[in-house]
Amino acid sequence: MKITFLGTGTSQGIPIIGSNHPVCLSENPKDKRLRVSVLIEWDNYSYVIDCGPDFRYQMLRSKCTRIDGILFTHEHSDHVMGLDDIRPFYFKQGNISLYGHQRVIKSLKQRFDYIFATENKYPGAPSVDINILENKPFKLNDLKVVPINGEHAELQVFGFRFKDFAYLTDMKTVSDEETKKLKGVKILVVNALRIEPHRSHFNLKEALCFIEKVKPEKAYLTHISHLLGFHDEVEKNLPTNVFLAYDQLQLSI
């Protein structure tokens, strides 16, 4: 299984438009972050988790030519607003499979009504196959995927475990019962927005405490804002098995 970090930034990305913050002015490529998303590939299958506003460029940059489906963690704009850019895949492949909580699918139908239209549909619009996710395991082709239910402030969010790899973003709280689903995971990805506490995201301390509870072999931090600091400086002070993810980082497991 190969994991490619398509984006590792928070909702505004880094650099932020018009910002003079030192991290936004950094020349280090690892400090330049698109909106958060990952590409997961195994055998001949390719799935994306979330498709935010940078989706088109992320697909071009990763040289991805096929996706078998998109899994949505939740419906916030930085995770869904690239949905229209599935069109090239649809023109080549046919319907694209979408996976998400019923609430998320309802939101997508409202925001992208032309994609879901059943009458007088615009001929250039893509079509999709809807898969409603509940908090129980499901199959992607031959692979079992386990949802991890969490809260993004008051909003329900899904993380996902693929065998020994787990991806959680936009989490603020995860119950002990849900955390048990991560037992034995080798690589854990979890959000760490900034140093200071935040009402709807793990800050760095909370992310490290969660990693210590799960005890993966390695952990990677994502959904990072400029307020976390410079990539290289932050990484120097992390535990030996914890790393900052960065755009275009690839992992194999």
Side-chain angles (χ1 to χ4, degrees):
M1 180 181 292
K2 183 171 78 170
I3 296 96
T4 303
F5 288 85
L6 302 172
T8 57
T10 187
S11 58
Q12 297 182 89
I14 304 175
I16 294 173
I17 294 170
S19 174
N20 290 319
H21 189 281
V23 174
C24 292
L25 299 177
S26 171
E27 295 298 323
N28 185 349
K30 292 181 180 179
D31 284 322
K32 301 181 187 301
R33 302 180 185 276
L34 301 179
R35 267 61 75 93
V36 68
S37 178
V38 289
L39 171 66
I40 300 177
E41 300 170 278
W42 71 94
D43 298 334
N44 293 316
Y45 303 119
S46 300
Y47 286 85
V48 173
I49 300 181
D50 291 331
C51 63
D54 302 312
F55 180 70
R56 173 184 174 275
Y57 179 57
Q58 289 168 338
M59 293 293 93
L60 290 170
R61 186 166 71 170
S62 66
K63 296 181 171 55
C64 182
T65 59
R66 174 184 176 83
I67 57 170
D68 293 285
I70 302 172
L71 287 70
F72 291 99
T73 58
H74 63 299
E75 66 270 36
H76 282 169
S77 292
D78 53 322
H79 297 260
V80 306
M81 289 309 292
L83 186 58
D84 184 75
D85 286 320
I86 65 172
R87 284 184 295 156
F89 295 114
Y90 166 70
F91 295 149
K92 291 198 321 183
Q93 302 171 208
N95 288 21
I96 305 299
S97 295
L98 305 183
Y99 300 80
H101 189 282
Q102 186 170 10
R103 184 199 71 248
V104 174
I105 300 299
K106 180 180 179 181
S107 175
L108 294 176
K109 287 181 176 180
Q110 293 170 342
R111 297 160 86 170
F112 299 93
D113 57 322
Y114 61 94
I115 291 178
F116 296 87
T118 56
E119 295 181 5
N120 301 317
K121 184 169 182 171
Y122 181 71
S127 295
V128 297
D129 293 326
I130 300 169
N131 299 270
I132 302 296
L133 299 183
E134 299 177 356
N135 191 18
K136 59 185 181 181
F138 61 98
K139 281 287 190 76
L140 291 180
N141 304 102
D142 58 343
L143 186 68
K144 176 184 174 183
V145 181
V146 179
I148 312 298
N149 203 50
E151 285 75 45
H152 179 35
E154 293 79 31
L155 183 69
Q156 180 274 342
V157 178
F158 274 141
F160 302 101
R161 177 175 182 170
F162 299 72
K163 293 185 176 179
D164 293 329
F165 171 78
Y167 180 86
L168 283 70
T169 188
D170 288 52
M171 296 287 184
K172 179 63 176 179
T173 54
V174 184
S175 72
D176 290 342
E177 194 65 28
E178 293 296 310
T179 302
K180 289 177 183 177
K181 296 179 181 178
L182 297 168
K183 182 179 180 181
V185 74
K186 292 182 179 179
I187 296 180
L188 173 67
V189 179
V190 66
N191 56 290
L193 187 74
R194 63 189 192 188
I195 303 297
E196 294 297 317
H198 189 275
R199 68 176 296 274
S200 61
H201 291 271
F202 284 156
N203 68 350
L204 179 59
K205 181 179 179 180
E206 290 167 331
L208 293 177
C209 287
F210 185 74
I211 291 165
E212 179 59 29
K213 184 185 294 187
V214 175
K215 299 188 185 306
E217 292 182 7
K218 292 183 179 181
Y220 291 83
L221 305 179
T222 194
H223 206 288
I224 293 165
S225 83
H226 62 298
L227 297 175
L228 188 63
F230 292 101
H231 181 282
D232 291 348
E233 292 182 8
V234 174
E235 192 159 69
K236 287 177 185 177
N237 297 311
L238 295 177
T240 56
N241 68 327
V242 181
F243 309 89
L244 290 189
Y246 55 87
D247 290 20
Q248 302 187 80
L249 170 65
Q250 292 188 337
L251 306 175
S252 295
I253 185 170

